[in-house]
Amino acid sequence: MGYILTIITIVTLVIINNSEISDGYRILGLFPLNGKSHFVMCEQLMKTLAKKGHQVDVVSHFPLKKPFSNYRDFSLKGSIPNVVNNLTFQQFNQFTQGSFKHFVDITGNEICKLLNHPVINNIIKNPPNDPPYDLVIVEVFAAHCYFAFGRHLKVPMIGVSTAALYDWISEPIGNPANQAIIPGAFSGLNFKMNFWQRLKNTLMSHIIKNGFNYYVSEQSKFVDQYFGPGYPGIYQLSKEFALLLVNSHYSINGIQPLTQAVVEVGGLHIEDSGIKLDTDLQQWLDESTKGCIYISFGSMVKIESFPIETLKAFYSTFRNIAPVRVLMKIANPKELPPDLPKNVMIHSWLPQIQILKHKNVQAFVTHGGLMSSLEAIYCGVPMIGIPLFGDQIINIKSLQERKIATSLNYKNITESEFTNTVKTVLKNTEFRENVKKLSKLYYDRPLSPQDTAIFWVEYIIRHGNVLRSPAIDLSWYQVQLLDIYGFIFLVIILVIYLLILIIRGLIKCVFGTKKRNNKEILSKKKK
């Protein structure tokens, strides 16, 4: 009897397991940008979908080092240089001073050229049909040529924005962007703006949006070349998203109107796996009883490439704050100047969440990248921001408003300024109290970012493009009601004009009659 029950149990489990697999969807993830910091969120999303039982095919430059169930890599590794631990001070400084066209060329047009890569080109020419794809997920940044895949494969398309909404994203998906309360990603403004700041924000937002759309429209040539004729322009393809997952949350990015097709999943990339630190690093942190500050400028930037004057200011500050210790991520320690202070430990790569969670880590010196900022908030660690480019400036400004971070200008860091800033954050308990309060607010949600993303991804596969905003079908002046206001203005002008004519007519009639009567009286008297 026991033997029969065992067989029945095994068969039941097999049936259940097979039903789960058969119910899973096949999803194509397209992430051709060669920046690791962008891919972190995309990778976590695809892993989460794979865990749920969906078959995910992931096109990226960063194939997994270990096999992951239901996750298949379509590797672009080696096709173009990856931006990982190799962005020098001179390079990012030139990037920040470059034109908007230069930005679109590097992060958009160059990425579109990868449509010719055998891995991607094979998907275009020979899409699978055993089973076919049910959904396409693509990063929304500057390579909009990849938006043609949804139409090409005849499936819904979901976008992933690894930062808060950029100026050029809202309009094509019908999202009500409001420059009065939402500072542009490149404006460098706070959320509370006076008249002149709102004017600057409005002008900058329209200039950036129109400039981006103008330069990115050139990508239509890639769509025509690799997908064939008959596809709409790039801007029209941008309207074809069924959903947009955005790495933002109102507690940090402000209260703003969002259409149902925009879902905030800020912090989705964070996976607290509980991996233990190396023994020597764990011991060093445990022994940092006077406190420790952690320094990292993300996955791309080489701190050791900063000007020698800046690095000397760093060294002097580290000596000034001793016995507080410093843990710093340095890609190539050999490129650092000599005489590294004794209270400093350096590593080429560090498990950031595990570091930030350590009880002795009291501050985080960061470039203000969104992923790093969210991890610091998750772990309740105040920040010293040294923003370099992109959305890092507005990220740090937002954190400054909430008094969980301070800010320094990377171009002129001095020993006294850096020392005073670090000591202020270490000694003022308000910073740590504020970041812990924000951490609770940020993660107090009905569903985790991962579960939220899973629900809406599956929702779109089940129901299709049902969240499409009707604003997409209107012109910009119709969305802003300029035609309505113009019509009302014309009606008011017409009514006023008619009233003037009527009043003039009445005046003329009354005074004209009176004048004629007076003339008649005078005429009779003369007779």
Side-chain angles (χ1 to χ4, degrees):
M1 186 67 179
Y3 178 77
I4 295 173
L5 287 173
T6 302
I7 293 176
I8 293 173
T9 302
I10 293 173
V11 171
T12 303
L13 289 173
V14 169
I15 292 173
I16 292 173
N17 188 51
N18 287 336
S19 67
E20 287 180 352
I21 293 173
S22 63
D23 288 342
Y25 299 110
R26 188 168 190 180
I27 302 171
L28 173 64
L30 291 165
F31 313 110
L33 189 67
N34 54 329
K36 179 68 173 179
S37 59
H38 282 248
F39 183 65
V40 168
M41 176 183 174
C42 303
E43 179 187 49
Q44 186 59 38
L45 171 63
M46 302 310 285
K47 279 185 174 181
T48 305
L49 288 166
K51 286 180 183 177
K52 192 71 188 304
H54 304 301
Q55 174 62 50
V56 300
D57 295 345
V58 182
V59 177
S60 79
H61 299 270
F62 308 98
L64 299 179
K65 295 179 180 179
K66 296 180 180 180
F68 195 91
S69 181
N70 297 329
Y71 185 114
R72 182 164 63 161
D73 277 306
F74 286 71
S75 177
L76 305 176
K77 187 176 181 180
S79 55
I80 55 177
N82 289 337
V83 188
V84 181
N85 267 352
N86 56 4
L87 189 63
T88 67
F89 180 91
Q90 183 180 10
Q91 287 172 329
F92 77 72
N93 203 34
Q94 289 175 344
F95 183 74
T96 59
Q97 296 173 1
S99 66
F100 207 62
K101 183 180 186 305
H102 180 63
F103 164 76
V104 175
D105 281 341
I106 292 177
T107 60
N109 297 342
E110 289 298 317
I111 304 303
C112 285
K113 292 177 182 178
L114 291 173
L115 287 169
N116 192 40
H117 192 284
V119 166
I120 300 177
N121 203 248
N122 185 58
I123 296 174
I124 296 173
K125 294 180 178 178
N126 303 296
N129 53 17
D130 55 342
Y133 289 119
D134 299 292
L135 179 75
V136 171
I137 299 178
V138 59
E139 182 183 359
V140 178
F141 191 53
H144 289 196
C145 55
Y146 289 86
F147 299 171
F149 269 93
R151 180 177 286 240
H152 180 70
L153 297 174
K154 298 180 177 61
V155 295
M157 180 171 60
I158 290 178
V160 178
S161 177
T162 58
L165 290 177
Y166 288 109
D167 301 81
W168 56 82
I169 295 178
S170 287
E171 186 177 285
I173 61 173
N175 192 61
N178 189 331
Q179 284 80 33
I181 59 173
I182 306 168
F186 302 96
S187 67
L189 295 169
N190 299 322
F191 287 95
K192 294 180 180 179
M193 296 177 280
N194 59 31
F195 171 81
W196 298 110
Q197 289 171 329
R198 284 185 284 116
L199 176 62
K200 175 186 176 182
N201 189 47
T202 302
L203 293 176
M204 281 191 66
S205 179
H206 282 87
I207 290 170
I208 289 172
K209 176 184 66 178
N210 292 325
F212 178 88
N213 288 334
Y214 174 78
Y215 291 122
V216 85
S217 64
E218 298 177 12
Q219 295 175 11
S220 291
K221 64 185 180 184
F222 296 106
V223 175
D224 293 339
Q225 180 179 355
Y226 295 109
F227 291 91
Y231 283 79
I234 293 297
Y235 186 79
Q236 189 62 36
L237 288 173
S238 302
K239 294 183 176 183
E240 299 191 349
F241 283 100
L243 185 76
L244 190 61
L245 299 173
V246 185
N247 195 21
S248 64
H249 190 260
Y250 73 87
S251 62
I252 293 177
N253 303 99
I255 305 298
Q256 53 185 295
L258 296 173
T259 180
Q260 278 81 1
V262 176
V263 177
E264 292 189 304
V265 290
L268 183 147
H269 74 287
I270 296 176
E271 183 181 24
D272 192 356
S273 58
I275 297 174
K276 293 184 178 180
L277 298 171
D278 292 341
T279 304
D280 60 337
L281 182 56
Q282 181 70 49
Q283 182 179 350
W284 189 85
L285 285 172
D286 290 343
E287 293 173 352
S288 303
T289 54
K290 299 297 182 180
C292 175
I293 64 168
Y294 169 55
I295 303 178
S296 173
F297 283 3
S299 63
M300 298 190 297
V301 174
K302 295 176 65 177
I303 296 177
E304 61 270 30
S305 69
F306 274 55
I308 189 66
E309 295 80 10
T310 303
L311 294 175
K312 285 182 178 180
F314 276 38
Y315 280 21
S316 298
T317 296
F318 300 159
R319 294 188 185 96
N320 293 340
I321 64 173
V324 174
R325 288 179 167 183
V326 178
L327 177 62
M328 186 161 56
K329 185 184 85 68
I330 297 293
N332 190 351
K334 294 180 180 179
E335 295 182 14
L336 280 175
D339 301 323
L340 185 72
K342 295 181 180 180
N343 61 329
V344 180
M345 175 183 277
I346 56 176
H347 277 268
S348 60
W349 196 265
L350 289 162
Q352 189 154 284
I353 291 180
Q354 280 67 38
I355 298 295
L356 291 171
K357 282 177 61 179
H358 196 282
K359 63 180 180 179
N360 290 335
V361 174
Q362 297 180 356
F364 179 24
V365 180
T366 173
H367 63 314
L370 186 57
M371 306 302 177
S372 292
S373 299
L374 295 179
E375 289 170 6
I377 292 169
Y378 174 79
C379 299
V381 179
M383 285 163 273
I384 298 159
I386 306 179
L388 307 176
F389 54 83
D391 65 336
Q392 297 164 15
I393 298 170
I394 195 171
N395 292 341
I396 293 298
K397 275 189 174 291
S398 174
L399 301 177
Q400 276 185 278
E401 280 189 354
R402 291 157 176 80
K403 205 172 182 181
I404 64 174
T406 58
S407 181
L408 296 171
N409 188 332
Y410 76 89
K411 293 181 180 179
N412 52 14
I413 295 176
T414 63
E415 172 191 345
S416 59
E417 183 185 32
F418 195 17
T419 300
N420 292 334
T421 301
V422 172
K423 287 184 176 180
T424 298
V425 174
L426 290 177
K427 292 179 180 179
N428 189 342
T429 58
E430 187 179 3
F431 285 94
R432 183 169 287 274
E433 291 170 358
N434 287 342
V435 74
K436 288 188 178 298
K437 289 178 183 177
L438 182 60
S439 181
K440 290 179 181 178
L441 178 63
Y442 190 78
Y443 290 99
D444 188 2
R445 315 183 193 182
L447 291 173
S448 69
Q450 292 83 4
D451 288 338
T452 301
I454 288 294
F455 172 82
W456 287 108
V457 167
E458 294 178 342
Y459 181 91
I460 291 300
I461 295 176
R462 290 195 301 267
H463 303 293
N465 196 359
V466 296
L467 302 179
R468 188 177 187 273
S469 170
I472 295 174
D473 300 320
L474 300 176
S475 299
W476 67 270
Y477 63 87
Q478 293 174 314
V479 173
Q480 299 297 328
L481 294 177
L482 294 183
D483 55 339
I484 302 299
Y485 293 136
F487 176 77
I488 293 172
F489 178 74
L490 289 175
V491 169
I492 292 172
I493 294 297
L494 180 61
V495 169
I496 292 173
Y497 177 71
L498 291 174
L499 286 174
I500 290 173
L501 289 179
I502 292 170
I503 292 170
R504 281 182 177 178
L506 289 173
I507 292 173
K508 187 176 182 180
C509 181
V510 171
F511 287 96
T513 303
K514 189 175 181 179
K515 192 174 183 180
R516 285 196 301 272
N517 291 339
N518 289 338
K519 285 182 178 180
E520 289 175 359
I521 292 170
L522 288 173
S523 177
K524 287 179 180 179
K525 285 183 179 181
K526 286 180 181 180
K527 291 180 180 180

